[in-house]
Amino acid sequence: MLDVAGLRVSFGAIEAVHGVSLRVRHGETHCLVGESGCGKSVTALAIMGLLARGARRRAERIGFDGTDLLALSDRGMGRLRGSRIGMIFQEPMTSLNPAYTVSSQLTEVYRRHRGGTRAAATERAAALLGRVGISAPGLRLGQFPHQLSGGLRQRVMIAMALMCDPDLLIADEPTTALDVTVQAGILRLLAALQAEMGLALLLITHDLGVVARVAHQVSVMYAGEVVESAPVAALFARPTHPYTQGLLASVPVPGKLRRGQPLDPIPGSVPRIPPDFVGCGFRERCRFAMPACAVAVPLRERAPGHSYLCQLTP
Amino acid sequence: MLRHLPTALGALIVGAALLAALFGPSLVPHDPFAQDLLRRLVPPAWLGGDAAHPLGTDQLGRDYLARLVYGARISLVIGVVAALTSGLIGITLGVLGGFFGGWVDDLVMFAITCRLSIPLILVALAVVSAVGSSLSVVVLTLGLLLWDRFAVVARTTTMQVRRLDYVAAAQAAGASGFHVLWREVLPNIAHHLVVVATLEVALAILLEAVLSFLGLGVPAPLPSWGLMIAEGRDYMFFEPWVIMVPGLSLFVLVLGINLLGDGLRDLLAASRDA
Amino acid sequence: MRRFILRRAILGVLVCMTVLVISFGLTRVAGDPALAVAGPQATAADVAAIRRAYGLDRPLPEQFFTWVGAVARGDLGRSYLFREPVANLIRARLPITLTLGLVGLGFALLIALPLGIVAALHEGTPTDRLVMLVALLGQAMPSFWLALLLIIGLGLRLQWLPISGIDDWTGYLLPGLVLAFSAIPALMRLTRSGMIDALGSDYIRTARAKGLSRASIVLKHAARNAAMPVVAIAAVQLGFMLGGSIVIESVFSLPGLGFLAWESISKNDFPVVQAVVLLLAVIYIALTLFADLLNAALDPRLRTG
Ligand SMILES: Nc1ncnc2c1ncn2[C@@H]1O[C@H](COP(=O)(O)OP(=O)(O)OP(=O)(O)O)[C@@H](O)[C@H]1O
Ligand SMILES: [Mg+2]
């Protein structure tokens, strides 16, 4: 469904993402995890072509369902965004336009891509609001974003992303900004919607508990790179990259992960990697670092679908 | 480099105007008040006039260049003195309101609202007309009227500075309010005020020209640029340069001051970010 | 919201009262108006008679309260010069100045909004700098000089537009355009900075993620939010423009409020001067209040919050 290879994004002299490869299959939930600042949001935005001005995106391949997104014009990309690829952002409080009603913001995306009457779009909006667990959708449709709580706004965002029945949904830490009590509900909703609508879901998260419960495939990011990618069971059973190992070791009882577990297990912090950096970005924090780590890092395959980026062999 | 071009241009213009105002009147060989009724409305040199009057002469045969540089002096004096006067009033009010808050601030806000609701040009005209037109009356009137932006900016920036740690610390350490204002607040808002000051100098120069143009500013025969334009009005259809020369000077000088002010703001913003 | 309006109304009344005092004081700071009315050939007896007729022999505070009382009843006094109630004069002149102000505001918005949006869309590029240079040029332009240039250029040489008087609506175009210049820089800057803020916001990213057209993103989503402060400033600028129309009206010989005020000032006709100052202040206060209300109407957060 989504096939990204060698994605690089730089802001002036810093390269926030260097060489990310990802594959999200049809109907699969793919979790992208990594600590704050490692480039998860930038990766998602780069796939959508929504990077801020001043950012530079290069990639070997960004394919979506057979379409080459790299070759697509902004207009062509616009036809996919909101209709075949939906996106939910990290900041529900500011992601809705304060000047327009919920109804107006929901229907405009539907009418843009699917056309039809306002009444039909409104009907669809009301139905989706109900589906994402908002009671009294009729009332909510007439309200403005500031009249909704954070959790409600995020549900509206989800409904908005689903208005046109997308094939792929990218959710960038959809619960980070919300109260812990609301987080569970939103995640359960996403998982249910994914299963029900057969969506491919690229879920960005901090939370290993979430990963254990909903993911099919997991990619672990560190300092702008995917250092390990594996089916969820394999990742938890046989974490191979030292960073992944550290990550999992920091969780109190292995196998019984708790939600809300913050992801900052290893001493030190994410370094800023200059663009001409070679070798492994993790080597300064790595227990197993060796001279070869400063030269090049091979991509190794441990099992079908389980690859990692390291000098070590399992 | 291109980014600093406007600022450099502004500095160049203002520098040139300062030099002209300082030394021009003694360098130009003509008296700006001496009439020569035989040589009236001589066009500037490039329009076929004579070399003795490079910018020509006015309707009374007075040398235009001499009047122009003398006019620069008037404009700059009025601009600077009016801005200083209004700065004193506006900054005092703004800093007091921003620093003490409460009813002091309410009072200051009230004063600003009153000032803004008074039609500026009209009141300036009325005052000058009532008191009698002279250079000092014009300066004072403008100074007493143009303080609103100073007050607004001083007030908001003081409010921001007051919340900073070291100001709070100085107050907690028992420094008197006045001491804190003088030593901690003012130096930290000064750069905003400098930018406002350039704007106000430019505005005062423009307003002086307006008042003089309407006949209630600097009295004739003083060569204010506004007055020169007013006097040239009767001849402008046949000799457009009589209003071009002073008008363009006014426009360029005000533009130069504004360019300089804008550049100053960017420079200060950049130096604080660094 | 109701509390807010009440507060603003009380403030407005207080400001009006202050302006009353100021505009009264303004006309009494110097000069004996009786002398001016009587003219140079008048005898001392004539002057004394005039003084008595207009109540100028009374103590100043008494004159003030008499005037305020009359104003409160809607009586603005009689003009010395036109020998006519001031209210009549104003009624005849105000529409001209209001029309001029609205035409000016129209021009200003028509020029400033697109330019501000274009600058914001090209923030930091040469286009942006060029547009901002236009704002600076406008700010430095002496309006009366620009008016004269336009009169020479458009009116006389090309004979496109009438250069003085208002025989029909075209008479407002040239003065309106000149008047607009004073408001353009502020409106343009505010539009630009508002648009830059809006364009960088999360909801614009959302709009892009929805695949909306560029026109819809810029004009519907960003401009709508950037418009709120611009509307407020536009109303305030209209107030300034009405006050500044005195210059334009005198250059283009438009018989509006400003022209009336200018004549009255030069002739010491102070009942008129007082009344015009007061009227312009009241209009300004009303406009700022209107701007706040309009803002509340435009911003759902203020309307329902
Ligand atoms: N517009 C930008 N300009 C410059 N640098 C940026 C920009 N956006 C992101 N970055 C940099 O890119 C890096 C990755 O940021 P990103 O937002 O992708 O992190 P993240 O993994 O999503 O973190 P979080 O979990 O906090 O959301 C950061 O170091 C950030 O400083
Ligand atoms: Mg992020």
Side-chain angles (χ1 to χ4, degrees):
Chain A
M1 180 97 270
L2 179 69
D3 179 11
V4 178
L7 174 67
R8 299 173 166 270
V9 180
S10 49
F11 299 94
I14 43 170
E15 194 167 68
V17 170
H18 40 143
V20 160
S21 300
L22 273 180
R23 284 184 107 103
V24 184
R25 275 180 294 270
H26 239 294
E28 161 186 281
T29 297
H30 191 127
C31 280
L32 187 62
V33 295
E35 51 198 299
S36 193
C38 69
K40 305 182 297 290
S41 296
V42 172
T43 302
L45 291 173
I47 294 168
M48 288 289 276
L50 290 179
L51 289 167
R53 216 174 12 185
R56 207 164 103 83
R57 174 184 82 169
R58 281 162 301 162
E60 283 155 31
R61 186 171 63 245
I62 304 181
F64 170 74
D65 202 18
T67 318
D68 178 10
L69 299 191
L70 285 172
L72 227 48
S73 68
D74 199 52
R75 179 180 292 234
M77 203 54 219
R79 270 194 286 274
L80 288 183
R81 287 197 288 248
S83 88
R84 298 201 55 207
I85 312 178
M87 181 156 183
I88 303 164
F89 297 98
Q90 212 168 329
E91 306 86 4
M93 301 315 280
T94 50
S95 290
L96 290 167
N97 192 328
Y100 294 99
T101 57
V102 168
S103 164
S104 147
Q105 298 188 54
L106 284 174
T107 52
E108 76 177 334
V109 60
Y110 188 77
R111 300 191 68 202
R112 161 87 177 152
H113 297 291
R114 298 277 183 275
T117 62
R118 187 180 302 265
T122 312
E123 199 173 307
R124 163 108 184 134
L128 265 177
L129 284 188
R131 179 61 199 88
V132 298
I134 292 181
S135 51
L139 167 76
R140 296 303 180 190
L141 278 176
Q143 289 189 316
F144 288 94
H146 73 274
Q147 293 166 297
L148 311 178
S149 68
L152 278 180
R153 287 190 211 186
Q154 199 60 299
R155 284 175 197 267
V156 169
M157 282 296 293
I158 294 173
M160 194 148 80
L162 297 177
M163 276 301 276
C164 298
D165 254 323
D167 303 307
L168 170 68
L169 182 63
I170 302 179
D172 184 0
E173 302 190 38
T175 59
T176 313
L178 301 177
D179 282 354
V180 186
T181 45
V182 211
Q183 287 183 354
I186 297 277
L187 282 166
R188 221 174 300 129
L189 172 67
L190 277 175
L193 287 168
Q194 187 273 329
E196 182 183 309
M197 305 175 84
L199 285 169
L201 174 63
L202 177 59
L203 177 64
I204 298 175
T205 178
H206 273 153
D207 190 334
L208 285 175
V210 171
V211 175
R213 283 195 315 133
V214 304
H216 301 122
Q217 181 81 18
V218 187
S219 289
V220 181
M221 262 189 94
Y222 180 79
E225 279 175 312
V226 172
V227 292
E228 181 161 5
S229 185
V232 65
L235 189 94
F236 281 100
R238 292 177 296 279
T240 311
H241 194 282
Y243 177 67
T244 316
Q245 290 171 355
L247 215 58
L248 294 181
S250 73
V251 178
V253 187
K256 287 191 177 171
L257 302 166
R258 258 181 288 142
R259 268 199 320 275
Q261 180 67 45
L263 196 68
D264 201 356
I266 305 147
S269 59
V270 188
R272 267 182 191 269
I273 312 274
D276 52 0
F277 186 87
V278 263
C280 174
F282 187 59
R283 65 171 186 257
E284 259 137 49
R285 290 164 82 188
C286 181
R287 288 183 289 153
F288 310 109
M290 52 179 116
C293 294
V295 186
V297 207
L299 179 69
R300 298 180 191 278
E301 180 132 8
R302 176 163 189 174
H306 186 170
S307 57
Y308 64 101
L309 204 61
C310 190
Q311 289 288 0
L312 296 175
T313 45
Chain B
M1 194 55 235
L2 202 68
R3 301 177 56 94
H4 297 297
L5 196 67
T7 316
L9 189 65
L12 197 73
I13 293 170
V14 173
L18 278 175
L19 288 180
L22 278 175
F23 305 113
S26 47
L27 289 181
V28 177
H30 298 278
D31 176 352
F33 301 100
Q35 304 182 4
D36 181 353
L37 295 181
L38 293 177
R39 303 167 62 81
R40 288 159 37 189
L41 290 172
V42 174
W46 66 89
L47 290 176
D50 71 47
H53 300 287
L55 290 185
T57 63
D58 71 1
Q59 71 285 355
L60 296 176
R62 296 173 293 198
D63 181 61
Y64 235 42
L65 180 61
R67 289 181 73 72
L68 199 72
V69 290
Y70 201 100
R73 187 180 277 189
I74 294 178
S75 284
L76 285 172
V77 165
I78 287 185
V80 170
V81 178
L84 286 178
T85 316
S86 56
L88 197 68
I89 301 171
I91 294 168
T92 309
L93 285 176
V95 165
L96 288 179
F99 191 74
F100 291 109
W103 64 268
V104 183
D105 191 37
D106 289 343
L107 218 61
V108 169
M109 279 311 286
F110 180 72
I112 295 175
T113 313
C114 286
R115 160 53 207 95
L116 285 173
S117 55
I118 289 173
L120 182 64
I121 299 179
L122 202 58
V123 167
L125 282 174
V127 171
V128 175
S129 149
V131 183
S133 65
S134 77
L135 201 65
S136 45
V137 168
V138 172
V139 169
L140 216 67
T141 306
L142 291 178
L144 288 176
L145 283 171
L146 291 181
W147 49 266
D148 50 290
R149 197 165 7 190
F150 274 114
V152 170
V153 172
R155 178 174 169 273
T156 44
T157 50
T158 302
M159 283 178 163
Q160 288 159 7
V161 169
R162 191 183 57 171
R163 295 199 197 96
L164 297 178
D165 291 342
Y166 57 91
V167 178
Q171 264 182 305
S176 74
F178 183 76
H179 182 84
V180 174
L181 270 185
W182 190 250
R183 298 295 299 273
E184 311 287 349
V185 174
L186 264 187
N188 280 296
I189 64 172
H191 56 278
H192 294 287
L193 300 177
V194 169
V195 175
V196 176
T198 59
L199 287 175
E200 296 304 327
V201 170
L203 186 58
I205 289 176
L206 269 183
L207 282 175
E208 180 273 319
V210 166
L211 298 185
S212 301
F213 176 76
L214 291 176
L216 284 168
V218 174
L222 279 177
S224 151
W225 290 348
L227 196 55
M228 287 168 75
I229 296 174
E231 289 168 349
R233 219 177 137 179
D234 294 336
Y235 312 94
M236 69 179 189
F237 289 125
F238 316 103
E239 311 280 358
W241 58 267
V242 292
I243 68 158
M244 282 310 287
V245 170
L248 204 60
S249 310
L250 184 60
F251 174 59
V252 169
L253 176 59
V254 172
L255 180 66
I257 298 172
N258 281 333
L259 284 175
L260 194 63
D262 259 29
L264 223 52
R265 172 172 41 214
D266 294 349
L267 271 175
L268 290 167
S271 72
R272 249 172 321 133
D273 290 348
Chain C
M1 192 64 211
R2 197 162 295 150
R3 263 179 58 100
F4 168 75
I5 296 175
L6 192 70
R7 261 184 71 100
R8 289 300 310 264
I10 293 174
L11 181 70
V13 171
L14 286 176
V15 172
C16 281
M17 277 156 50
T18 315
V19 174
L20 270 176
V21 177
I22 292 174
S23 56
F24 179 82
L26 203 64
T27 49
R28 312 289 159 123
V29 277
D32 185 346
L35 284 177
V37 177
Q41 275 101 38
T43 63
D46 292 345
V47 175
I50 288 172
R51 212 170 266 149
R52 216 166 316 112
Y54 287 104
L56 295 168
D57 53 343
R58 306 262 152 217
L60 270 188
E62 191 187 324
Q63 288 185 41
F64 175 67
F65 285 110
T66 314
W67 178 60
V68 171
V71 169
R73 289 192 307 273
D75 171 12
L76 294 172
R78 287 179 73 82
S79 155
Y80 301 155
L81 189 63
F82 298 93
R83 308 192 186 275
E84 208 186 322
V86 175
N88 290 358
L89 289 171
I90 288 181
R91 208 168 299 127
R93 310 290 191 104
L94 184 61
I96 296 175
T97 300
L98 282 182
T99 311
L100 178 59
L102 288 174
V103 171
L105 185 65
F107 272 125
L109 290 173
L110 224 54
I111 297 170
L113 297 187
L115 284 180
I117 292 176
V118 166
L121 287 175
H122 297 90
E123 188 199 350
T125 66
T127 312
D128 180 22
R129 277 197 284 278
L130 189 73
V131 172
M132 291 324 285
L133 192 65
V134 172
L136 269 180
L137 292 179
Q139 198 174 322
M141 181 67 79
S143 58
F144 61 95
W145 183 61
L146 176 67
L148 295 179
L149 293 187
L150 286 177
I151 287 177
I152 297 178
L154 289 179
L156 200 78
R157 294 265 158 90
L158 300 173
Q159 309 233 317
W160 281 349
L161 290 170
I163 53 175
S164 82
I166 33 160
D167 299 328
D168 60 49
W169 61 274
T170 53
Y172 285 108
L173 291 183
L174 219 45
L177 188 65
V178 177
L179 196 57
F181 258 76
S182 61
I184 287 174
L187 287 174
M188 198 156 111
R189 289 216 166 92
L190 206 64
T191 306
R192 174 179 175 271
S193 63
M195 278 302 282
I196 288 176
D197 284 352
L199 287 170
S201 66
D202 288 343
Y203 57 78
I204 290 300
R205 193 180 57 192
T206 306
R208 294 213 292 145
K210 286 156 86 173
L212 301 182
S213 70
R214 196 167 159 75
S216 163
I217 291 170
V218 172
L219 296 177
K220 180 176 174 194
H221 285 271
R224 173 61 200 270
N225 286 283
M228 296 172 197
V230 174
V231 163
I233 291 297
V236 172
Q237 289 291 330
L238 179 60
F240 289 151
M241 279 156 89
L242 293 178
S245 71
I246 188 168
V247 189
I248 308 301
E249 286 179 16
S250 80
V251 175
F252 287 100
S253 327
L254 294 185
L257 210 56
F259 198 72
L260 176 67
W262 182 50
E263 279 180 304
S264 320
I265 287 172
S266 14
K267 305 265 164 55
N268 262 333
D269 190 1
F270 66 73
V272 178
V273 181
Q274 280 171 348
V276 173
V277 170
L278 186 63
L279 181 66
L280 285 174
V282 169
I283 291 179
Y284 176 85
I285 294 165
L287 279 173
T288 49
L289 187 62
F290 172 71
D292 286 334
L293 294 179
L294 203 59
N295 236 350
L298 279 178
D299 189 340
R301 282 163 296 188
L302 294 176
R303 197 188 323 153
T304 48

